[in-house]
């Protein structure tokens, strides 16, 4: 008896997974309201009273640093009549968080400090009226929040993914010392595509030779579409003659302190589910944050991180420009696909070629199916 050979192709998710509001809402409930979600970097909230506001699932979440230096997260919703406490994307609240509607005031640890006309309510217990807390944890300077009742340790969630990408060599990741880096540049992109189309794109390089001429000039392995599926734990080497990951390829910036010879002139990229993409490079680190807005709309924040001395002493424009080009090329490609997710041609999905199957078809879809409780059924 002969065994049938494995199928050459695997399917993508059916088209409606990229277009239906019902699927989008289910993702917000089953993924973004249950799992750890990347919110910001600790450096984005550098001092007491500073805050960042993020959307997580259906909730509006405030990340704020207290007078004790501790970062905390709360629902950004006044306990009185539900006003949004901080409408700006980021900023400074000062000594307390004051509601703009009737002026209830909360301490930076979330407890209720005062409310106008409190003497008529003095029988109430202020301890019951603090802001609703949200779980927050930091991982090497990356701040993640979770709306789950009892989330698992954040480190377990992230190391499982980093181990898969880096061959379980944790020191390799730690050498980049993400917590010590600061943003030298940030660009916000609005992308007319479903968040999963963007992440699928970031997890395959079958397209690199076609749409990323500058990238494949820098990393020739990305041009080689005959290579095996899956990640290369040792990263991807720069081309001969390319001293850095930049448009000119010249080594303009000092290397990150702490890296070893093995890290020189190498690139590691990885999705940290559900909404982060990390790029490790010899002289900088790039962090993408994906924010699903609608089935066909995602905002992407991209930050280029460097040691403070590099930002203070060097022009980082040449370095920033390379991945900015890659971003624009990727986002244009995903926007070209999005309208056709509704086509009858895509009703049962598209095709994953062998090169795309290990990371998207198994690693990413297995997680998605489990998170959405789909079983094998799509
Ligand atoms: S809604 Fe905030 S004080 Fe009334
Ligand atoms: Fe790409």
């Amino acid at each position: 008896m002969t065994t049938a050979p494995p199928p050459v192709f695997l399917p993508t998710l059916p088209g409606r997974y990229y277009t239906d509001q019902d699927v989008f809402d289910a993702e917000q409930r089953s993924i973004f309201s249950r799992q750890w979600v990347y919110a910001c970097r600790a450096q984005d909230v550098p001092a007491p009273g500073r805050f960042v506001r993020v959307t997580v699932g259906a909730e509006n979440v405030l990340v704020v640093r207290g007078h004790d230096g501790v970062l905390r997260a709360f629902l950004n919703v006044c306990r009185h009549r539900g006003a949004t406490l901080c409408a700006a994307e980021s900023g400074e609240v000062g000594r307390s968080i004051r509601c703009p509607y009737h002026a209830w005031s909360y301490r930076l640890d979330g407890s209720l400090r005062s409310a106008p006309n409190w003497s008529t309510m003095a029988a109430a217990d202020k301890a019951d009226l603090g802001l609703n807390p949200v779980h927050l944890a930091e991982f090497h300077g990356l701040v993640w929040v979770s709306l789950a009742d009892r989330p698992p340790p954040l480190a377990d969630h992230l190391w499982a993914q980093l181990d898969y990408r880096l061959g379980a060599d944790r020191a390799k990741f730690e050498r980049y010392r993400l917590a010590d880096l600061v943003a030298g540049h940030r660009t916000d992109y609005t992308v007319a595509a479903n968040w999963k189309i963007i992440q699928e794109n970031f997890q395959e390089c079958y397209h690199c030779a076609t749409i990323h001429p500058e990238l494949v000039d820098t990393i020739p392995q990305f041009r080689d579409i005959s290579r095996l599926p899956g990640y290369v734990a040792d990263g991807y080497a720069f081309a001969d003659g390319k001293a850095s990951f930049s448009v000119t390829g010249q080594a303009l910036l000092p290397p990150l302190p702490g890296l070893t010879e093995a890290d020189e002139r190498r690139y590691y990229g990885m999705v940290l589910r559900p909404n982060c993409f990390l790029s490790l490079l010899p002289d900088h680190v790039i962090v993408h944050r994906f924010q699903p807005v609608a089935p066909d709309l995602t905002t992407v924040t991209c930050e280029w991180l460097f040691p403070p001395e590099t930002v203070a002493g060097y022009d980082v424009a040449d370095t920033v420009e390379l991945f900015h080009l890659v971003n624009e090329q990727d986002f244009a490609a995903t926007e070209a696909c999005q309208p056709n997710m509704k086509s009858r041609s895509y009703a049962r999905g598209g095709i994953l070629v062998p090169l795309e199957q290990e990371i998207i078809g198994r690693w990413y879809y297995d997680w998605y199916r489990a998170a959405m409780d789909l079983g094998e059924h799509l």
Side-chain angles (χ1 to χ4, degrees):
M1 198 174 102
T2 56
T3 317
V8 176
F9 298 135
L10 289 179
T12 69
L13 300 171
R16 68 187 180 84
Y17 278 79
Y18 307 97
T19 60
D20 275 18
Q21 187 66 46
D22 287 351
V23 171
F24 184 85
D25 292 343
E27 290 169 346
Q28 296 308 306
R29 286 192 303 274
S30 299
I31 296 175
F32 290 90
S33 300
R34 280 193 199 156
Q35 300 203 355
W36 286 106
V37 174
Y38 174 52
C40 61
R41 288 177 317 99
Q43 298 268 0
D44 296 330
V45 196
R50 293 284 295 270
F51 73 87
V52 163
R53 182 179 64 77
V54 289
T55 301
V56 182
E59 296 287 1
N60 186 354
V61 172
L62 198 59
V63 175
V64 62
R65 193 176 293 279
H67 292 300
D68 52 4
V70 175
L71 272 181
R72 297 179 181 84
F74 307 102
L75 298 184
N76 187 17
V77 180
C78 183
R79 291 291 306 278
H80 174 219
R81 295 261 302 286
T84 295
L85 296 165
C86 297
E89 215 176 272
S90 64
E92 170 125 29
V93 291
R95 292 201 56 76
S96 60
I97 303 164
R98 187 171 181 270
C99 179
Y101 195 0
H102 311 86
W104 281 31
S105 170
Y106 302 88
R107 296 183 188 87
L108 301 186
D109 65 4
S111 59
L112 181 65
R113 181 181 180 192
S114 62
N117 207 17
W118 182 256
S119 60
T120 64
M121 310 170 234
D125 188 350
K126 277 188 184 163
D128 296 333
L129 296 168
L131 299 177
N132 289 114
V134 172
H135 293 282
L136 178 149
E138 272 182 66
F139 184 83
H140 294 268
L142 304 175
V143 177
W144 296 66
V145 297
S146 174
L147 297 171
D149 290 336
R150 279 198 302 269
L154 173 66
D156 292 356
H157 170 74
L158 295 177
W159 276 127
Q161 300 183 66
L162 289 163
D163 286 350
Y164 174 75
R165 173 63 189 88
L166 298 173
D169 181 355
R170 295 186 174 183
K172 190 185 290 180
F173 171 77
E174 289 166 341
R175 286 198 291 270
Y176 287 82
R177 299 183 192 169
L178 258 65
D180 296 340
L181 306 181
V182 299
H185 188 82
R186 166 178 165 159
T187 300
D188 297 308
Y189 304 86
T190 300
V191 188
N194 183 272
W195 66 281
K196 300 186 297 302
I197 293 188
I198 300 171
Q199 291 201 334
E200 287 165 12
N201 168 83
F202 272 61
Q203 293 179 104
E204 53 93 357
C205 218
Y206 192 39
H207 66 271
C208 290
T210 322
I211 71 169
H212 296 313
E214 301 84 1
L215 179 63
V216 297
D217 277 354
T218 306
I219 301 178
Q221 275 170 289
F222 286 166
R223 193 181 276 123
D224 177 12
I225 55 176
S226 67
R227 66 195 166 83
L228 291 170
Y231 284 125
V232 176
D234 290 336
Y236 301 101
F238 296 176
D240 292 341
K242 295 280 184 185
S244 66
F245 188 87
S246 60
V247 171
T248 64
Q250 294 171 13
L252 301 170
L253 308 179
L256 299 179
L259 297 191
T260 69
E261 242 176 70
D263 309 315
E264 284 174 11
R265 302 178 63 251
R266 292 205 158 252
Y267 170 87
Y268 302 89
M270 65 207 78
V271 164
L272 294 178
R273 301 178 305 226
N275 69 325
C276 182
F277 183 74
L278 209 54
S279 297
L280 305 178
L281 289 143
D283 51 11
H284 66 294
V285 169
I286 306 170
V287 185
H288 288 72
R289 180 177 187 274
F290 305 99
Q291 176 70 56
V293 177
D296 58 356
L297 190 66
T298 306
T299 56
V300 183
T301 300
C302 184
E303 290 188 300
W304 284 259
L305 311 181
F306 306 88
E309 309 77 50
T310 299
V311 173
Y314 294 82
D315 182 356
V316 299
D318 182 37
T319 298
V320 168
E321 184 61 16
L322 180 51
F323 218 105
H324 173 62
L325 277 173
V326 171
N327 280 337
E328 291 200 316
Q329 292 156 348
D330 278 328
F331 299 152
T334 59
E335 288 183 336
C337 297
Q338 181 64 38
N340 301 321
M341 297 298 104
K342 283 197 164 123
S343 164
R344 71 183 76 172
S345 169
Y346 219 78
R348 297 172 70 178
I351 289 166
L352 294 174
V353 302
L355 181 60
E356 301 167 307
Q357 292 174 6
E358 172 60 30
I359 301 173
I360 302 176
R362 300 192 181 90
W363 174 245
Y364 189 62
Y365 284 175
D366 283 356
W367 161 78
Y368 182 80
R369 281 193 196 93
M372 294 284 283
D373 202 16
L374 298 174
E376 285 304 301
H377 177 72
L378 285 176

